Structures are given as structure tokens and as C-alpha cells.
């Protein structure tokens, strides 16, 4: 599902204009970016926990050419659904 489809479906379910739903989605992603940049986590009761995982830089060697490449450090966001959400999804 792309961003426009997500926003339009969210607006339908909330009964609000698509612009308002887009603002809410942008606000949520902004908060998650801030949390990620601080290497923190956010728990939403009944929904799940967003947490950050940082991987350090590493040197990767190509087996065929022997060339070595430096892969920069990365921060990624992981999501663990709550028990309540898992039960609702599996019904």
C-alpha cells in the first residue's frame, strides 16, 4: 500500500478530510523520527512498541573481486505488536 492509499483509507475510517489525515500521519512519522534519532523507544498501549536498532559501521569484502567496502552505521526502527493487537489480527 502506498502513502496516498493509506491516507485516503485512514481519512475514510476517521470520517475526516484527507488533508487532516495526512497531517496526522506526518506528525506520527515526525515523532517516530525524533525517537529514532535519540535511540529511544515508544510504547503505544494496545498497539505495540516502536524501538530503534543501531548497527555499527563495518567493512564488507566482496568474495569475487576482493574489494573492501565500508558500510556506514545505520539506525532502523523495529515494531513489536502488543498482545491485544495480535489477538485482534488473528481473529
Amino acid at each position: 500500500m502506498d502513502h496516498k492509499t493509506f491516507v485516503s483509507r485512514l481519512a475514510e475510517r476517521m470520517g475526516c478530510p484527507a488533508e487532516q489525515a495526512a497531517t496526522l500521519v506526518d506528525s506520527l512519522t515526525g515523532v517516530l523520527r525524533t525517537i529514532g534519532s535519540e535511540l529511544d523507544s515508544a510504547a503505544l498501549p494496545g498497539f505495540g512498541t516502536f524501538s530503534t536498532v543501531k548497527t555499527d559501521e563495518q567493512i564488507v569484502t566482496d568474495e569475487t573481486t576482493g574489494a573492501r567496502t565500508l558500510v556506514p552505521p545505520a539506525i532502523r526502527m523495529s515494531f513489536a505488536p502488543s498482545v491485544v493487537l495480535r489477538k485482534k489480527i488473528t481473529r
Side-chain angles (χ1 to χ4, degrees), residues 33-91:
R33 280 189 194 130
T34 302
I35 289 168
S37 67
E38 295 170 355
L39 299 176
D40 206 358
S41 61
L44 302 173
F47 187 69
T49 303
F50 292 92
S51 58
T52 54
V53 177
K54 182 179 180 185
T55 55
D56 294 328
E57 66 182 14
Q58 55 186 334
I59 298 174
V60 177
T61 305
D62 186 354
E63 293 178 10
T64 57
T65 63
R68 295 172 57 178
T69 306
L70 178 65
V71 179
I75 299 173
R76 64 180 177 85
M77 185 73 69
S78 66
F79 175 71
S82 71
V83 174
V84 174
L85 181 61
R86 277 186 272 162
K87 285 183 180 178
K88 285 184 180 180
I89 290 173
T90 57
R91 284 188 207 171

Side-chain angles (χ1 to χ4, degrees), residues 5-20:
T5 306
F6 176 73
V7 169
S8 64
R9 286 186 185 180
L10 180 64
E12 274 181 32
R13 287 193 178 207
M14 292 179 57
C16 67
E19 295 81 23
Q20 185 179 3

